[in-house]
Amino acid sequence: MILLHGLGRTSLSMAPMARALEEAGYLTANIGYPSREHPVEVLAADALPRGIAECRRAGGKTLHIVTHSMGGILTRYYLSRHTLPDLGRVVMLGPPNQGSAVADRLMDQRAYRIFNGPAGQQLGTGPEGIAARLGPVEFPWVCWLEMNARSWMHSSRTVSRKQATER
């Protein structure tokens, strides 16, 4: 199982999830990438192949991917250009799949540009944003959002809570 963190984070932010998944019997590849140094296209071309290779070296038969925030955009970008015959499920935690209104409001500010780098500039909601250019999701996925202490699950198909947690 490949784990990808979000913008401005490191693999340490996904470490508790990696431990929990390993305790549940999954092989994990918690992939770090320099989220603030390069555009999405470069980050995806680096992070996903490393995760895939690590999972295959460990003997994983099915590749599942769990992402947080921008990690979901990297995954969508990569999978829009590559076919993985052994792809299982993709779980995206809080992805900016429609772009980020926060990015829209802040991307012209110097501090935002410095802190979030080139990928942060790509996260807007407009037609020039990476999310708008990715097109529809063409793989099995589950998106989990936390809002006001209530959990809502949105999916490209109807998925029960039990199905979403099955291996």
Side-chain angles (χ1 to χ4, degrees):
M1 184 171 303
I2 300 168
L3 304 178
L4 292 174
H5 60 82
L7 180 63
R9 300 296 198 140
T10 70
S11 60
L12 291 176
S13 66
M14 298 296 273
M17 184 177 295
R19 281 191 297 278
L21 289 166
E22 288 165 1
E23 288 171 6
Y26 290 94
L27 300 170
T28 65
N30 186 4
I31 305 300
Y33 61 93
S35 65
R36 300 180 300 175
E37 294 179 17
H38 304 286
V40 167
E41 297 85 349
V42 172
L43 297 171
D46 169 59
L48 272 296
R50 284 190 294 120
I52 292 165
E54 190 173 324
C55 286
R56 289 187 175 146
R57 273 193 305 275
K61 303 274 187 265
T62 301
L63 291 171
H64 299 293
I65 305 171
V66 177
T67 70
H68 174 249
S69 193
M70 192 177 77
I73 299 300
L74 268 61
T75 300
R76 286 186 59 205
Y77 181 84
Y78 185 84
L79 292 176
S80 73
R81 284 151 178 78
H82 300 87
T83 300
L84 294 175
D86 51 354
L87 180 64
R89 291 197 175 119
V90 176
V91 178
M92 296 182 281
L93 305 170
N97 278 331
Q98 303 299 314
S100 167
V102 172
D104 288 342
R105 285 192 300 275
L106 299 177
M107 70 173 49
D108 290 333
Q109 295 183 11
R110 186 172 189 271
Y112 178 89
R113 287 193 312 271
I114 290 170
F115 184 78
N116 293 300
Q121 291 297 112
Q122 293 178 285
L123 296 178
T125 61
E128 70 286 348
I130 190 84
R133 294 183 283 130
L134 287 175
V137 174
E138 301 286 339
F139 51 83
W141 64 281
V142 173
C143 176
W144 191 270
L145 303 172
E146 286 290 324
M147 298 174 359
N148 300 327
R150 300 173 107 189
S151 296
W152 300 94
M153 190 179 336
H154 302 276
S155 156
S156 61
R157 58 187 171 81
T158 304
V159 178
S160 71
R161 197 175 281 241
K162 181 179 182 286
Q163 288 172 314
T165 59
E166 290 175 349
R167 283 188 229 174

